[in-house]
Amino acid sequence: MTAAAGAAKREERSMDLWTFESAQWAAGAETLCGVDEAGAGPLAGPVYAAAVILPREADLPGLNDSKKLTERRREVLYGLITAQAAAWSVAWVEAAEIDQLDILNARMLAMQRAIDGLSVAPDLCLIDGNRDHGSRCAVTAPHLCLVGGDGKSASIAAASILAKVSRDRYMSGELDRQYPQYQFARHKGYGTKAHYEALDAYGPCPAHRVTFLKKWAGRTP
C-alpha cells in the first residue's frame, strides 16, 4: 500500500467514526458527549476518565481508539481535541478510593465526575463498554452504552485519547518524580517485570492499589 493510499484509508476510518453521532443528531440529540476511561488495570495510580463534546465541524485527522495510536499521535490529537471541543473534562479516582470502592465502581465514579465537570450539559452521553453502574456508583447522566465505542464513535475516541494522555502525563511526570524508584514513567503503573522487581525491592507506596497487589503480597518467597 502506498503512503497516499494509507492516508486515504486512515481518513476513511476517521469519517466512519461519525456515523453513530450522525444518527443520534438526526434522532434529536443536539449535544452529544463521548465518555471513556483509562487505567483500569494498573497496579498503581488513579483511574482517569474524560468527557468530550465535539462540534459537528470538528476536524480531527486520524482520530481513532487511543490504543490504536502511537504516543506521538495521541499527543497531537489531544491538542486538536481540546482546541476544538465545545466542552471537555478530565477526572480521576485515586488509588485509595479504588481500594475502597473496587475498580468497577471507581470507573463509574470517574466517568460521572468527568461528565459533571463539563461546562455544557449534554443531552446524551455515549459511554464506552457495556457497564454503566457498579454496586455503589453509576453513570447518572442520560446515556447509551456502546461496546467497542472507542473504535465506533468519534466522541468516545476523543474521550479515550484525553483520558489516556492525561493519565500517562501524570504517571510519567508528577508520580514518577514523587516515587522515582518505581519507574512509573516507564510502565505507567502496569504490572511489568520491572514494576514487580521494584515492589520486591521497595514494597508498595501510597500510589499503589493495595487490592491489586494480593497476588504479589501472597507469593511464596
Side-chain angles (χ1 to χ4, degrees):
M1 182 182 293
T2 66
K9 190 68 175 178
R10 288 191 294 273
E11 186 64 23
E12 181 182 347
R13 285 198 297 268
S14 294
M15 293 175 65
D16 288 344
L17 286 176
W18 292 95
T19 302
F20 196 83
E21 271 78 2
S22 297
Q24 295 304 312
W25 285 325
E30 290 292 326
T31 308
L32 289 177
C33 171
V35 187
D36 200 4
E37 47 83 13
L43 308 178
V47 59
Y48 269 65
V52 184
I53 298 174
L54 294 176
R56 302 188 189 196
E57 68 275 11
D59 182 18
L60 303 169
L63 180 65
N64 205 341
D65 172 4
S66 64
K67 296 185 291 296
K68 297 178 181 178
L69 300 171
T70 64
E71 180 178 359
R72 181 178 180 182
R73 190 61 197 160
R74 286 195 298 266
E75 287 286 349
V76 170
L77 281 165
Y78 180 98
L80 292 174
I81 293 163
T82 54
Q84 296 181 46
W88 64 275
S89 170
V90 173
W92 57 89
V93 173
E94 298 286 358
E97 294 179 279
I98 294 171
D99 286 334
Q100 293 170 0
L101 293 170
D102 76 36
I103 189 59
L104 175 59
N105 282 289
R107 288 170 53 210
M108 300 302 113
L109 179 58
M111 289 194 286
Q112 186 59 50
R113 282 177 176 175
I115 297 167
D116 290 341
L118 290 167
S119 60
V120 177
D123 295 326
L124 182 68
C125 295
L126 306 177
I127 308 293
D128 185 46
N130 62 355
R131 302 296 295 269
D132 61 1
H133 69 280
S135 59
R136 299 168 63 182
C137 301
V139 175
T140 57
H143 65 276
L144 290 175
C145 292
L146 185 60
V147 176
D150 44 11
K152 299 176 180 177
S153 158
S155 301
I156 296 177
S160 78
I161 290 167
L162 295 198
K164 171 68 172 168
V165 171
S166 297
R167 186 180 190 278
D168 283 356
R169 287 178 178 178
Y170 174 74
M171 297 299 294
S172 299
E174 182 177 338
L175 210 61
D176 188 67
R177 288 191 295 271
Q178 191 172 359
Y179 303 106
Q181 66 270 36
Y182 297 100
Q183 303 181 65
F184 287 133
R186 179 178 173 185
H187 51 68
K188 310 300 189 295
Y190 283 89
T192 64
K193 180 181 178 182
H195 193 176
Y196 278 114
E197 288 174 348
L199 281 167
D200 289 338
Y202 304 106
C205 72
H208 280 98
R209 306 171 183 179
V210 176
T211 51
F212 281 51
L213 299 178
K214 291 179 180 178
K215 184 176 179 180
W216 169 80
R219 75 201 185 292
T220 302

